[in-house]
Every structure is written in structure tokens, then in C-alpha cells.
Amino acid sequence: RCSTCGNYIYKGTKFNATKESVKGEDYLGIQVFRFHFRCPQCASNLAMKTDPKNSDYVCDLGATRNFEPWKEEERQQEEHREKREREDEDAMKRLENRTLDNKREMDLLTALDDMRSLNARHERAGPEAALAAVRQQQQQQQQAAPDGLTAEDAAALAAIRQRTGGTFIRRLPEEPGDRSGEAPAARP
């Protein structure tokens, strides 16, 4: 980002730049270069150096970076290393860390076992298994009510038998010309 006008200059932008080698700076025999160019919006001078250690660049003059991920990573690694060094000096803290690590590992193993059992259950539950379950349920219903009645129908039939004392009045089958639900037709 340009310090003068605030314009964002993206990493892949092409410029007409001058290149110079930085005297006295190198990384493992790799030479460090400085590039001078102008801001595309306000034409102020900007300079950036290569950073071979992090395979990146460093803003040198007239610009700032928004976020430098390698700096954040280095800072986190340094904090972690300092924390471990302090904990290694204290035996009680080292024991606490070991127990926390063991507990975390056990929780992860438990979660992994749960996921494995769930995946195995899903593998077994295919279309064939669903059809087999439906067939088994139908067989159980047929065995429970051999006369073809469902449990609700059997309960209703038992209630009717109790009210009537077990006797039934049988209805005669309807004849094709019999219209019992209609009023008799007038004869001519």
C-alpha cells in the first residue's frame, strides 16, 4: 500500500522498475535485490527488497504491507518455543502438560472410534437392508394378526363383540337392482 496516496498495489502488478543489488546482504549465497518503481496513482517513489529466506519481498521505501504472514508465523513459533522452555523448567507444569496431551489424545481416539462406528453403520444401511427390514416388519404383522386384521381393527372388533354380547346380525348381500339407499321409484 502506498504511504503517500493509500492506493493498494497488488502482488502480481507489473511495473517498469530499476533493479539494484543490495551490497552486503545475502541469504545462503542468494543475492538480495532492491527494485525501485513509482506508484501507479500518485507517482511517488517506492522501493522493495527481495526476501529469499521467506520467498517473499519486504517493503523498503514509500510503502507498507497489509499483512505479513511469515512474521505472524515466526511470532507464533517463538511464543510456542518460549512457552515450552518455561514449562520444561517446571516439573509440575510439565506433568500437567503431559496429562492434558494424553487427555486430548484419548478424546481424539474416542471421536475417531465414534466416526468409524457411524461409517460402518452407514455402510450396512443400504437399499437391501432397508428392504429386508420392511419385509421383516410385514412378517411380524402377519404373525401377530393371522386373520389379516391390524391391531386397531382387532381391538375394534373385540369392543363390538362385547357390546352385542357376541351375537351378530348378518346382512343379506345386496341385489343388483336393489337400491336401499334411495326412495322407491314411482310405478307407472
Side-chain angles (χ1 to χ4, degrees), residues 32-144:
V32 175
F33 295 101
R34 180 176 288 125
F35 297 96
H36 294 275
F37 55 95
R38 293 188 173 272
C39 174
Q41 190 169 5
C42 68
S44 66
N45 288 326
L46 305 173
M48 296 200 179
K49 282 193 318 189
T50 59
D51 184 13
K53 180 179 180 182
N54 297 305
S55 300
D56 208 2
Y57 64 91
V58 178
C59 296
D60 197 29
L61 172 72
T64 58
R65 285 196 68 166
N66 286 338
F67 178 67
E68 296 177 345
W70 55 273
K71 281 188 176 181
E72 180 68 22
E73 186 177 320
E74 284 180 358
R75 186 185 61 77
Q76 287 178 351
Q77 288 176 355
E78 183 65 29
E79 286 178 2
H80 184 68
R81 189 173 57 246
E82 288 176 2
K83 181 181 173 187
R84 284 294 179 178
E85 287 175 0
R86 279 184 275 132
E87 291 171 355
D88 286 342
E89 293 171 2
D90 187 14
M92 195 64 177
K93 191 68 173 176
R94 187 174 43 227
L95 179 63
E96 287 176 5
N97 286 337
R98 248 189 267 145
T99 57
L100 286 174
D101 289 342
N102 289 341
K103 183 180 183 292
R104 189 176 308 120
E105 185 178 343
M106 293 299 290
D107 291 342
L108 287 173
L109 289 174
T110 304
L112 181 63
D113 287 341
D114 291 344
M115 288 175 63
R116 283 182 180 162
S117 65
L118 185 63
N119 286 341
R121 194 176 327 139
H122 283 295
E123 286 177 7
R124 286 183 300 221
E128 295 83 18
L131 288 173
V134 168
R135 287 184 191 121
Q136 183 181 9
Q137 185 179 16
Q138 288 175 347
Q139 288 175 355
Q140 288 175 352
Q141 287 177 353
Q142 288 175 355
Q143 289 173 357

Side-chain angles (χ1 to χ4, degrees), residues 7-19:
N7 183 36
Y8 288 96
I9 303 168
Y10 300 100
K11 191 171 184 173
T13 307
K14 293 184 178 182
F15 289 100
N16 289 331
T18 58
K19 175 178 110 175

